[in-house]
Amino acid sequence: MSGENTIMSNTITILGIESSCDDTSASVIRDEEELSNVIAGQDVHIAYGGVVPELASRAHQQNIIPVVDLAIKKAEIEKSEINAIAFTRGPGLLGSLLVGTSFAKGLSLSLNVPLIQVNHLQGHVLSHFIKRNSDDSCQPSFPYLCLLVSGGHTEIIIVKDHFTMQSIGKSIDDAAGEAFDKCAKIMGLPYPGGIYIDNMAKAGNKNAFTFNKPRIPDYNFSFSGLKTSFLYFLRDRLKDNPDFIEENKSDLCASLQTTIIDILMDKLIKAVKQTQIHEIAISGGVAANSGLRETIALEAKKRKWKIHIPELKYTTDNAAMIAIAGYYKYLRKDFASQDITPLARYAI
Ligand code: KG4
Ligand code: ZN
């Protein structure tokens, strides 16, 4: 297959499909510009306080056709204009990935266009290349350092080109997003709790409480100790005052959020000093955090870094980042075969 559906000779149109966790998303990218990016979340997990894999794959099955259909309509293109289908191969929940993978395979066969497999983490890193309009010129230049912070991953990556990425440090246990979500759950906030902590932190005092930061060598991170110390701290306070959480929620959120940001920034600053790379990007769901966005902007000003902070819609899981990664793979003719299978674990 050679992508014979090209209508306008100099443009490349990619349909991206993302289904690695609990968001079903489809996006159309023309060259590097986003034409549509439709995301269907799954409220079914809220009652369980976390993603239930079996329910996630069922919801993907229900959502995928309407989501892809809407993405094509919103992009105002015909299916015949699509040059290739890019899909998330992993990492993620196997049942969820299978839905997107199978759908992408079927559509690539029926449209007779190439299939492109994308690593979800590379998608997050490359989300900075999505253009909001054809004049958008804020793409990073290589090499840049990317702090990838999501619900499943916390990594510092040297991005040498679109597909040469070197992870120089990662979490040895929980991801930063998991720390937000687990601590939110301890406080009785809904899942996923990162955004609730972010919102409540705005009215709180970040110096009200201090929590221990881990001592982990190199550029690696650890967040499970913070979650445990937060749990024990609250358990002790609740003994004296059963309303402690309710009375101090904003301060707890602000103090916890600051601790997480400090842990991230300490390692990032260390990595910049060591690598001497001063072009910095943040990616992933936790890159939506207003405290992190403000802090990195302040540090950048102070330290003369050039920073790339993604638009909110490109921080949490979305198919536009899969489509842009697919676009660069298309240029290299890096196509997948029909017997490709999803990968629950897939390093960057
Ligand atoms: O990238 P993402 O959508 O999914 C993964 O690939 O994991 O990230 C989801 C994570 C969740 O842990 C969620 O709580 C966190 O991103 N998150 C936030 C915020 N918005 C989403 N964490 C802190 N502050 C936010 N505003
Ligand atoms: Zn993600």
Side-chain angles (χ1 to χ4, degrees):
M1 280 177 285
S2 56
E4 46 262 63
N5 284 348
T6 312
I7 278 190
M8 284 169 277
S9 55
N10 290 325
T11 65
I12 295 164
T13 305
I14 307 288
L15 173 72
I17 294 174
E18 154 65 30
S19 71
S20 63
C21 190
D22 60 341
D23 291 306
T24 318
S25 180
S27 165
V28 176
I29 292 263
R30 174 157 287 163
D31 296 331
E32 292 164 306
E33 188 186 344
E34 184 226 284
L35 300 186
S36 67
N37 184 35
V38 178
I39 304 170
Q42 303 180 355
D43 290 345
V44 66
H45 308 288
I46 293 172
Y48 300 90
V51 177
V52 183
E54 176 59 28
L55 296 180
S57 47
R58 278 192 224 172
H60 282 305
Q61 278 170 354
Q62 283 169 355
N63 292 342
I64 195 140
I65 292 175
V67 164
V68 170
D69 193 44
L70 189 58
I72 292 171
K73 285 201 177 99
K74 282 195 165 179
E76 297 180 356
I77 61 158
E78 298 298 323
K79 283 203 284 291
S80 58
E81 293 175 65
I82 295 171
N83 293 104
I85 316 288
F87 71 98
T88 304
R89 185 183 186 194
L93 300 170
L94 214 45
S96 293
L97 290 165
L98 261 170
V99 177
T101 305
S102 313
F103 190 85
K105 283 184 189 181
L107 197 57
S108 112
L109 269 182
S110 70
L111 297 179
N112 194 27
V113 294
L115 184 64
I116 298 171
Q117 63 94 10
V118 173
N119 179 313
H120 178 86
L121 304 177
Q122 291 194 341
H124 273 303
V125 171
L126 296 176
S127 60
H128 295 277
F129 289 88
I130 304 165
K131 290 186 175 176
R132 283 140 282 205
N133 55 61
S134 50
D135 300 328
D136 193 341
S137 61
C138 60
Q139 296 178 327
S141 47
F142 300 115
Y144 67 95
L145 274 187
C146 184
L147 174 68
L148 170 57
V149 272
S150 71
H153 295 85
T154 303
E155 292 196 44
I156 298 179
I157 298 150
I158 302 178
V159 188
K160 297 177 183 171
D161 65 39
H162 290 119
F163 294 103
T164 313
M165 302 185 188
Q166 182 191 355
S167 171
I168 58 169
K170 56 170 85 168
S171 177
I172 58 167
D173 42 54
D174 292 350
E178 251 176 303
F180 271 108
D181 297 343
K182 287 179 177 172
C183 292
K185 197 171 179 179
I186 294 169
M187 289 187 282
L189 294 169
Y191 177 85
I195 191 162
Y196 294 94
I197 292 186
D198 188 353
N199 289 335
M200 302 207 72
K202 287 175 186 150
N205 171 7
K206 64 181 182 174
N207 300 313
F209 307 107
T210 44
F211 303 107
N212 288 342
K213 289 183 210 147
R215 290 164 187 266
I216 305 289
D218 306 322
Y219 310 113
N220 292 326
F221 300 91
S222 166
F223 287 101
S224 74
L226 174 62
K227 166 201 66 194
T228 312
S229 78
F230 190 70
L231 179 71
Y232 289 163
F233 171 83
L234 287 181
R235 187 194 58 185
D236 293 345
R237 298 295 174 108
L238 287 168
K239 274 187 206 151
D240 300 331
N241 175 8
D243 297 325
F244 182 79
I245 294 179
E246 279 318 310
E247 288 171 8
N248 296 280
K249 219 173 226 172
S250 298
D251 287 350
L252 284 167
C253 289
S255 304
L256 177 75
Q257 179 169 297
T258 294
T259 310
I260 295 174
I261 294 170
D262 283 353
I263 295 170
L264 294 171
M265 290 307 297
D266 282 354
K267 295 295 175 136
L268 184 61
I269 291 166
K270 202 172 155 192
V272 173
K273 280 192 183 142
Q274 174 68 30
T275 60
Q276 284 299 308
I277 297 172
H278 295 94
E279 182 132 0
I280 317 289
I282 53 171
S283 291
V286 179
N289 185 265
S290 61
L292 178 61
R293 293 164 86 92
E294 272 164 34
T295 309
I296 199 159
L298 284 173
E299 288 292 333
K301 206 166 174 197
K302 195 166 93 191
R303 296 171 190 275
K304 303 200 174 13
W305 297 347
K306 182 165 187 217
I307 49 161
H308 300 274
I309 299 179
E311 248 187 77
L312 283 179
K313 63 177 175 174
Y314 301 138
T315 56
T316 46
D317 290 346
N318 66 86
M321 68 186 197
I322 303 305
I324 192 84
Y327 168 78
Y328 296 118
K329 286 197 162 191
Y330 185 91
L331 296 181
R332 296 153 55 126
K333 299 207 182 320
D334 185 354
F335 301 142
S337 71
Q338 278 286 331
D339 53 16
I340 194 161
T341 50
L343 298 171
R345 297 167 73 88
Y346 192 0
I348 201 152

